[in-house]
Amino acid sequence: MTRSATETDLGRTRRARRIGRVLTETHPDAHCELDHTSPLELAVATILSAQCTDKKVNEVTPKLFARYPTAADYAAANRAELEELIRPTGFYRNKTSSLIQLGQALVDRYDGRVPGRLVDLVTLPGIGRKTANVILGNAFDVPGITVDTHFQRLVHRWQLTTETDPVKIEHAIGAMFPKRDWTMLSHRIIFHGRRVCHARKPACGACTLTKLCPSYGTGPTEPAAAAKLLKGPRARDLAAAAGVDPELVPVQAVRAEAP
């Protein structure tokens, strides 16, 4: 019998909040990993991040942002030139269409500014609910839950919800936490998914959530094997936080890009 079958709603909420507290300690560096200095830049970067790593997006955007500083610039962009600039992010033709149409919509309907309301954001080309919550939480300080693939995978592994629709997941998890915590909770869960709780082989034996996770054992539980799966510049700190010898983390894991 799974934990979710015997756990009360109150018990699940309490466990969820304990998970949240542990993640706060585990990932003090959690933040939006898309470089930006304005709501428009974040909107553009988030559109480019579809099927692409944040690292690759951040390599492309400095030149892009310098060339197109305003919504009007995207609206009037030369398609071939814009395609060439964003080509490394993949699906560049579709993304170019989204960026040009986004620029046009912002100019036509919002005086060239990115709106700060979910109801407005989701009407814009290239911006769905997930992207809108990223923009709200990180550009406008409006709390939002970002349900990406990492977020979905982890809340299912923790058996916090059985919902599969992203909007229903957002509401189910949001109900367990104070609204003020939503944005940072999303960052911490995504950080954990990228650095510890991987899709194919999670680092169970080097995870700070072992006592709270009903899926413990999905990945290797032996510390030496698990430590090799940690990723990112703080991989050894993550091992230490889980009570694992940091020296078990290989150098290449510390240098590895969090996916």
Side-chain angles (χ1 to χ4, degrees):
M1 185 177 291
T2 64
R3 182 195 288 255
S4 59
T6 59
E7 194 172 38
T8 65
D9 289 345
L10 179 58
R12 189 176 300 109
T13 296
R14 285 176 172 168
R15 181 166 60 87
R17 292 195 178 191
R18 286 199 294 273
I19 287 172
R21 288 193 291 272
V22 173
L23 289 177
T24 299
E25 297 172 359
T26 304
H27 302 288
D29 57 330
H31 63 280
C32 177
E33 295 188 90
L34 292 168
D35 295 339
H36 64 281
T37 62
S38 70
L40 177 63
E41 289 185 357
L42 182 55
V44 169
T46 309
I47 288 172
L48 295 181
S49 71
Q51 305 298 311
C52 182
T53 65
D54 289 356
K55 180 181 178 183
K56 178 59 66 177
V57 172
N58 290 338
E59 291 172 359
V60 167
T61 50
K63 188 178 291 186
L64 181 71
F65 293 162
R67 177 66 183 83
Y68 305 98
T70 70
D73 292 318
Y74 287 102
N78 175 279
R79 172 174 285 274
E81 180 184 2
L82 183 50
E83 283 185 357
E84 194 57 34
L85 274 173
I86 68 171
R87 181 188 292 265
T89 69
F91 301 97
Y92 61 93
R93 290 191 178 92
N94 288 340
K95 291 177 181 179
T96 294
S97 295
S98 292
L99 293 181
I100 292 173
Q101 291 167 16
L102 173 65
Q104 292 168 344
L106 290 175
V107 170
D108 292 344
R109 288 153 47 193
Y110 297 103
D111 197 29
R113 294 187 176 90
V114 175
R117 298 194 309 159
L118 181 68
V119 66
D120 295 322
L121 286 168
V122 295
T123 69
L124 294 169
I127 296 182
R129 191 177 180 96
K130 181 186 78 172
T131 299
N133 276 324
V134 171
I135 295 167
L136 288 174
N138 297 284
F140 292 102
D141 280 334
V142 175
I145 287 179
T146 303
V147 182
D148 73 349
T149 54
H150 299 290
F151 193 101
Q152 289 191 50
R153 180 176 74 253
L154 269 61
V155 297
H156 285 153
R157 279 183 175 165
W158 297 332
Q159 294 181 17
L160 297 182
T161 181
T162 57
E163 300 289 358
T164 55
D165 176 76
V167 177
K168 291 181 179 178
I169 292 172
E170 177 188 333
H171 291 318
I173 302 304
M176 297 179 178
F177 292 89
K179 190 172 183 178
R180 65 177 180 274
D181 295 342
W182 287 356
T183 300
M184 285 309 302
L185 174 72
S186 300
H187 288 322
R188 289 166 188 145
I189 290 177
I190 292 168
F191 257 56
H192 200 69
R194 286 175 166 172
R195 290 154 175 79
V196 183
C197 195
H198 312 297
R200 292 179 183 167
K201 193 184 286 187
C204 290
C207 178
T208 53
L209 296 172
T210 54
K211 294 179 180 178
L212 296 167
C213 181
S215 299
Y216 175 72
T218 302
T221 58
E222 204 279 316
K228 294 177 182 177
L229 299 173
L230 298 173
K231 290 185 179 179
R234 292 190 66 253
R236 288 180 173 164
D237 294 330
L238 295 175
V244 172
D245 182 357
E247 295 302 317
L248 293 173
V249 179
V251 172
Q252 57 266 37
V254 177
R255 293 174 180 166
E257 175 189 344

